[in-house]
Amino acid sequence: MNVVIIEDEAPAAARLKKMLAATAPGIEVLAVLDTLAGATAWLRANPAPDLIFMDIQLSDGLSLDLVRTMRVGCPVVFVTAYDEYWQEAFACHGIDYLLKPVKQERLEAALRKLEEMKEYFMTRFMGLAEKQEKKDKFLVRRGVEFVSIRVEEIAFFYASHKLVCLVKKDGAKFILDQSLAEIEKQVESAVFFRLNRKFLVGRGAVRKVSALPKSKLLVKVEPAVKEDLVVSSENSAAFKTWFGR
């Protein structure tokens, strides 16, 4: 999980960073920003992180003004010594409100809340996707003939050099004339998962899942492939939910 800390008290920022490392070693703190101006510039120049820890009273203004005036694009945990801003905070992307000095158990509860929210919305999204009509077979070309391959025969799909291939469980490969994004919409999300930009993998093809640094996952499939199939830290929670169903 990628995190940004907006805090103008250096000791408080250092303490929070240390607590995050102890609570969730997979968290990467992308930036520690100590002013409203600096935070605004960083958020405009970079993709939104997964979570922001934001002090409310900064040296050059209230961070709530930042959230009101620009699209932050991610949840916010507000961290402050003052309790009078909590209503405004929850109206401004806030998912939790931690009073200083931050206690370890409150920090852990905030992170748990975020994971539970992500799991809930991912499950809801999968449920909506399942309502769309899905294919039970794919028509592929073999020489001069066209043959039909049932979805249960498919191990995975992958994209390479502007081509998309279907790989059967017996290792046979066929080129398709659709993009991976189009195929992803046509198969059951309970059965196939988009590991990364190149691979859409069936549950039955997954043979081993290993943890990597920064909360990433390494997936081994059958038939085996030469390259490492890595699930990003942003998608690892969704993959574990999918694979554990």
Side-chain angles (χ1 to χ4, degrees):
M1 182 193 303
N2 295 326
V3 165
V4 166
I5 296 173
I6 302 175
E7 169 64 71
D8 63 350
E9 297 177 10
R15 182 173 181 270
L16 179 56
K17 191 173 180 180
K18 185 176 180 180
M19 291 174 69
L20 286 170
T23 303
I27 286 180
E28 181 179 0
V29 178
L30 300 178
V32 177
L33 308 163
D34 60 1
T35 64
L36 206 58
T40 302
W42 193 95
L43 290 169
R44 284 176 176 166
N46 295 274
D50 299 310
L51 181 64
I52 296 176
F53 286 90
M54 186 180 291
D55 188 10
I56 290 181
Q57 289 197 348
L58 301 173
S59 59
D60 57 346
L62 293 179
S63 64
L64 290 168
D65 293 333
L66 181 154
V67 183
R68 293 189 196 103
T69 57
M70 70 175 293
R71 186 179 181 276
V72 174
C74 71
V76 177
V77 173
F78 288 95
V79 184
T80 179
Y82 305 93
D83 60 5
E84 64 261 37
Y85 297 106
W86 67 269
Q87 286 182 303
E88 292 177 85
F90 281 108
C92 296
H93 287 260
I95 64 166
D96 215 330
Y97 193 92
L98 309 183
L99 290 175
K100 295 179 181 178
V102 177
K103 296 180 179 179
Q104 188 72 32
E105 58 267 26
R106 285 291 290 116
L107 178 62
E108 292 172 2
L111 294 173
R112 266 197 315 273
K113 181 187 287 188
L114 177 63
E115 289 304 316
E116 289 168 359
M117 291 173 67
K118 287 167 62 177
E119 184 173 338
Y120 171 78
F121 286 110
M122 179 59 68
T123 302
R124 294 281 292 178
F125 174 79
M126 287 181 173
L128 290 173
E130 292 299 328
K131 293 179 181 179
Q132 300 179 11
E133 185 175 350
K134 305 299 181 182
K135 298 183 72 166
D136 58 2
K137 61 186 66 175
F138 283 81
L139 190 66
V140 300
R141 186 167 181 169
R142 184 171 60 191
V144 296
E145 298 180 333
F146 286 94
V147 296
S148 179
I149 297 177
R150 299 191 310 277
V151 168
E152 54 265 33
E153 299 179 79
I154 301 170
F156 53 84
F157 304 87
Y158 74 94
S160 178
H161 303 296
K162 297 184 179 181
L163 294 176
V164 173
C165 291
L166 177 159
V167 179
K168 291 178 61 180
K169 293 177 180 178
D170 62 8
K173 298 180 182 180
F174 301 90
I175 295 175
L176 300 177
D177 59 358
Q178 302 175 74
S179 70
L180 212 54
E182 291 172 333
I183 294 169
E184 186 178 7
K185 295 175 184 177
Q186 297 171 12
V187 296
E188 299 282 355
S189 61
V191 180
F192 288 87
F193 188 89
R194 185 73 173 268
L195 292 186
N196 51 37
R197 183 172 52 85
K198 296 176 62 177
F199 279 84
L200 177 64
V201 173
R203 183 192 302 277
V206 177
R207 289 294 171 263
K208 184 179 179 182
V209 181
S210 305
L212 293 175
K214 299 181 180 179
S215 299
K216 296 179 182 179
L217 300 172
L218 177 65
V219 178
K220 299 290 185 181
V221 294
E222 182 68 34
V225 297
K226 293 181 180 179
E227 62 187 282
D228 289 342
L229 304 187
V230 176
V231 181
S232 69
S233 57
E234 292 81 6
N235 290 330
S236 61
F239 175 83
K240 286 185 282 190
T241 298
W242 171 80
F243 194 53
R245 286 174 110 185

